[in-house]
Amino acid sequence: MAQIVRESRCRCGQVRCEAVGAPIISAICYCQDCQAGGQKIEALPDAPPVRDADGGTPYLTYRDDRFTCVAGAALLHGQRLHNAAPTQRFVATCCNTGMFLKFGPGHWVSAYRLRFGDDAPALELRSKVASRHSELPLPTDLPVYRGFPLRLFWRLLTSRLAMAAAR
């Protein structure tokens, strides 16, 4: 059976990425870094949103070996919240679209879910809601975790093992 291939794209279409297979997780993060990084990207001229109305950042997280920039890689610019930050957020400079982030020591890429359009799989959970700053009521449509849930760490571990086994 063929793997699902999902395409994410910047607003103007010059930068395109492909994600193969099911994501490790499809979640909304409210950690301080995701909120600050999202604000920084959204402050760029004419930048489309990367966060939801309540400040959460929806992601599709993929193994490094299952996520590739297939067009416009030279247009991607990485930015960090500070020089020593392990996370780098990549923005398509052609239209200031936040595309994905890469956690330096990790084996995964978290792509902004909004870049996948209608092709994005359903969300599974909301994490780090203890850091949420919104005045809006917390939606009750998904499981909610004050921190990062154990299932996230379990999936990251099993995805790393699968990479090592070349599956």
Side-chain angles (χ1 to χ4, degrees), residues 15-149:
V15 176
R16 293 189 332 275
C17 299
E18 285 185 351
V20 177
I24 296 168
I25 199 158
S26 177
I28 301 173
C29 185
Y30 294 92
C31 78
Q32 296 291 341
D33 281 1
C34 286
Q35 290 180 79
Q39 288 172 339
K40 185 175 179 179
I41 291 170
E42 292 171 349
L44 295 170
D46 299 318
V50 294
R51 297 174 305 146
D52 285 344
D54 73 340
T57 309
Y59 292 110
L60 299 180
T61 300
Y62 285 92
R63 295 174 7 186
D64 284 344
D65 63 342
R66 293 194 173 177
F67 187 86
T68 309
C69 183
V70 295
L75 297 169
L76 290 171
H77 171 71
Q79 52 180 244
R80 297 176 192 274
L81 290 177
H82 54 83
N83 288 342
T87 302
Q88 193 169 15
R89 289 166 176 82
F90 289 87
V91 176
T93 58
C94 47
C95 57
N96 288 331
T97 301
M99 295 297 294
F100 60 91
L101 69 80
K102 177 68 183 125
F103 178 68
H107 66 278
W108 65 88
V109 172
S110 292
Y112 293 110
R113 187 175 183 273
L114 296 174
R115 301 294 79 85
F116 289 87
D118 294 337
D119 195 30
L123 288 161
E124 298 174 58
L125 58 91
R126 296 175 189 278
S127 66
K128 291 295 282 188
V129 298
S131 299
R132 185 174 176 266
H133 296 298
S134 180
E135 298 295 321
L136 296 172
L138 181 63
T140 58
D141 57 339
L142 300 169
V144 172
Y145 297 89
R146 291 187 50 76
F148 291 118

